[in-house]
């Protein structure tokens, strides 16, 4: 009997599933962070050996000269690291996390700039006394080359343009962004919690069966109600746009201007600064019935469009006074109650103005809302819109 028990125990040990052998988790890759930080402490421009051929000697000299000019102007150091940062790196491929790690190890405030293996530029300002956009320090025209076949195309020009933009930004109290350098634990980057049957069973049933039927019913009710109170949507969108729609349009126009910035065109750069700061002043989610926010977003659109026009024209035309979203005004003027005779676009020159006039969410014509835009008329009364906006924002 004892022999049989021993045999069974031995077989159980042999056949039992052995625990899966896991390699020890590697340390939280401090080595490269420390190596790059140490190199930046010696020289503020670091180019990794794997990317050494991407920037030639002359390009490095230009970048360092721009770094020196910017550092002297803003009063804090400028660090530039050209280094690969894929998903297997210590920062899990997150450039801002990598820059935060460098800042923590150098323990110095400054402008931290990174170029990764795809030629993409990222930057984070730690304690920089400049008013910089919270929507992304690097404009889209600077961030990437625009040509996937040559990701490092114009890298020197793009870096120097970024530094010129920072240097030209208005002064402000230093701030520190909130960036955590924590990343998912090793081996858990793509882990997911198991689905709970008690929730997911009814949810999937509703999604596949009840959902389409309910959606069809709601759509039918909506079609009936909207059909009874229909107003031409395109006309309403142009004359009384929603704040949400204006946010989208302002962001689009500002991005278009950022793609074509030219430091040699002061009027364009000034329009960009005014539009960027005004957009930041409005905030990411203005209230849906905020008349002032709506007009400020229209102002961002007008500034961005005039900034692009300033690339080829010395004095861009003011926008249509009836509706600044229509674009530049023509030569014809129309009389507005209590405002005098002001220029309008060709589309507003011979038709009734009331249906084409821009209105804020509460229905008032834009020129009846007190504030900077009533005084300046989006450039119809005071042609220098960038100066007018910057002055109203308290920027010299």
């Amino acid at each position: 009997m004892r022999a049989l028990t021993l045999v069974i125990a031995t077989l159980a040990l042999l056949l039992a599933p052995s625990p899966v052998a896991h390699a020890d988790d590697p340390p939280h890759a401090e080595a490269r962070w420390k190596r790059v930080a140490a190199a930046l402490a010696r020289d503020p421009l670091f180019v990794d050996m794997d990317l050494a051929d991407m920037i030639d000697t002359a390009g490095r000299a230009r970048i360092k000269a721009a770094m020196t000019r910017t550092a002297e102007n803003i009063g804090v150091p400028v660090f530039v690291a050209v280094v690969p940062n894929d998903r297997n790196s210590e920062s899990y491929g997150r450039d801002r996390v990598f820059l935060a790690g460098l800042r923590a190890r150098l323990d110095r405030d400054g402008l931290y700039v990174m170029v990764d293996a795809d030629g993409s530029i990222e930057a984070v300002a730690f304690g920089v006394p400049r008013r910089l956009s919270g929507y992304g320090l690097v404009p889209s025209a600077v961030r990437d080359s625009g040509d996937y076949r040559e990701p490092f195309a114009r890298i020197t020009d793009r870096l120097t343009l970024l530094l010129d933009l920072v240097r030209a930004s208005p002064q402000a109290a230093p701030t520190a962004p909130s960036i955590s350098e924590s990343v998912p634990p090793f081996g858990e980057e793509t882990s997911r919690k198991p689905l709970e049957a008690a929730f997911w069973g009814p949810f999937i049933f509703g999604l596949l069966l009840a959902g389409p039927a309910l959606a069809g019913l709601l759509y039918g009710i909506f079609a009936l109600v909207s059909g009874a109170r229909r107003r031409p949507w395109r006309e309403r969108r142009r004359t009384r746009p929603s704040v949400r729609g204006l946010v989208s349009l302002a962001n689009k126009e500002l991005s278009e201007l950022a793609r074509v910035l030219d430091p040699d065109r002061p009027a364009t750069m000034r329009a960009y600064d005014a539009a960027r700061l005004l957009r930041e002043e409005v905030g990411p989610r203005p209230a849906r019935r905020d008349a002032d926010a709506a007009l400020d977003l229209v102002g961002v659109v007008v500034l961005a469009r005039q900034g692009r026009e300033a690339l080829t024209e010395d004095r861009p035309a003011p926008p249509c006074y009836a509706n600044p979203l229509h674009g530049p005004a023509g030569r014809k003027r129309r009389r507005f109650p209590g405002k005098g005779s002001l220029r309008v676009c060709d589309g507003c020159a011979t038709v009734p103005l009331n249906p084409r006039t821009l209105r804020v969410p509460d229905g008032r014509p834009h020129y009846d809302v007190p504030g900077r835009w009533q005084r300046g008329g989006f450039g119809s009364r005071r042609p220098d819109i960038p100066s007018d906006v910057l002055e109203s924002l308290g920027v010299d």
Side-chain angles (χ1 to χ4, degrees):
M1 186 68 180
R2 246 195 292 178
L4 180 60
T5 303
L6 181 61
V7 170
I8 294 173
T10 304
L11 288 174
L13 288 174
L14 292 174
L15 298 176
S18 60
V20 179
H22 291 286
D24 292 335
D25 287 355
H28 196 281
E30 289 278 333
R32 194 171 72 126
W33 249 327
K34 291 180 178 179
R35 176 172 63 85
V36 176
L40 289 174
R42 297 188 299 269
D43 185 337
L45 173 61
F46 171 78
V47 181
D48 190 274
M49 291 182 61
D50 290 339
L51 302 177
D53 294 337
M54 298 295 102
I55 306 177
D56 59 20
T57 304
R60 297 187 192 194
R62 281 186 59 199
I63 293 170
K64 292 195 72 169
M67 291 168 60
T68 301
R69 291 195 304 269
T70 303
E72 292 174 350
N73 183 270
I74 64 178
V76 292
V78 176
F79 300 101
V80 176
V82 183
V83 57
N85 191 36
D86 59 32
R87 288 176 60 87
N88 295 319
S89 70
E90 62 287 294
S91 62
Y92 196 46
R94 302 171 187 171
D95 293 348
R96 290 171 63 85
V97 172
F98 186 81
L99 292 174
L102 291 179
R103 162 65 181 83
R105 286 150 187 81
L106 278 171
D107 194 23
R108 296 185 67 184
D109 282 342
L111 178 65
Y112 286 73
V113 183
M114 176 178 179
V115 183
D116 65 17
D118 294 324
S120 182
I121 300 175
E122 183 57 274
V124 180
F126 296 94
V128 176
R130 287 291 185 275
R131 187 171 182 179
L132 301 170
S133 173
Y135 297 94
L137 179 56
V138 185
S140 56
V142 174
R143 184 180 301 277
D144 300 299
S145 69
D147 185 351
Y148 71 92
R149 294 166 298 185
E150 297 185 20
F152 277 82
R154 303 182 297 107
I155 186 61
T156 301
D157 294 335
R158 289 190 283 133
L159 282 171
T160 53
L161 177 56
L162 171 63
L163 297 177
D164 288 343
L165 291 173
V166 172
R167 196 168 64 251
S169 298
Q171 294 188 358
T175 59
S178 176
I179 303 175
S180 170
E181 63 176 75
S182 62
V183 294
F186 180 79
E188 299 181 14
E189 295 88 349
T190 59
S191 63
R192 296 288 187 272
K193 293 182 178 180
L195 302 181
E196 298 181 17
F199 169 77
W200 286 99
F203 175 78
I204 293 175
F205 171 79
L207 182 66
L208 296 179
L209 298 180
L214 181 60
L217 177 62
L218 291 176
Y219 179 79
I221 295 173
F222 172 77
L224 289 173
V225 173
S226 61
R229 305 177 55 190
R230 187 172 300 276
R231 178 187 174 185
W233 173 245
R234 182 170 296 180
E235 176 187 343
R236 178 181 175 86
R237 185 174 60 184
R238 290 179 177 177
T239 60
R240 194 171 168 180
S242 67
V243 171
R244 182 178 179 182
L246 288 172
V247 166
S248 177
L249 179 60
N251 291 343
K252 175 178 176 293
E253 295 287 350
L254 193 55
S255 296
E256 289 293 329
L257 175 58
R259 290 192 185 96
V260 295
L261 285 176
D262 184 354
D264 294 330
R265 302 292 296 186
T268 296
M269 300 301 295
R270 194 161 179 79
Y272 175 73
D273 286 339
R276 177 173 58 85
L277 295 175
L278 184 61
R279 176 66 189 89
E280 187 173 348
E281 183 80 8
V282 173
R285 294 184 178 178
R288 59 193 297 265
R289 297 190 66 82
D290 188 337
D292 292 330
L295 293 182
D296 283 345
L297 290 166
V298 173
V300 172
V301 173
V302 171
L303 283 163
R305 290 174 178 175
Q306 289 203 344
R308 294 202 301 273
E309 292 173 17
L311 292 169
T312 56
E313 300 179 19
D314 292 333
R315 295 188 63 180
C320 172
Y321 186 76
N323 189 334
L325 296 178
H326 287 170
R331 295 183 176 275
K332 293 188 178 181
R333 294 175 176 265
R334 298 289 298 274
R335 184 167 294 279
F336 292 83
K339 308 297 178 184
S341 180
L342 295 162
R343 292 168 62 183
V344 296
C345 67
D346 294 340
C348 293
T350 59
V351 298
L353 289 175
N354 190 55
R356 295 178 60 85
T357 298
L358 176 69
R359 297 176 183 274
V360 294
D362 61 16
R364 287 176 294 168
H366 72 86
Y367 47 72
D368 285 347
V369 181
R372 66 165 70 94
W373 303 114
Q374 187 184 59
R375 292 192 301 270
F378 292 94
S380 295
R381 295 176 177 275
R382 299 176 63 171
D384 191 355
I385 309 179
S387 296
D388 196 21
V389 170
L390 292 172
E391 180 183 345
S392 67
L393 294 174
V395 178
D396 295 332

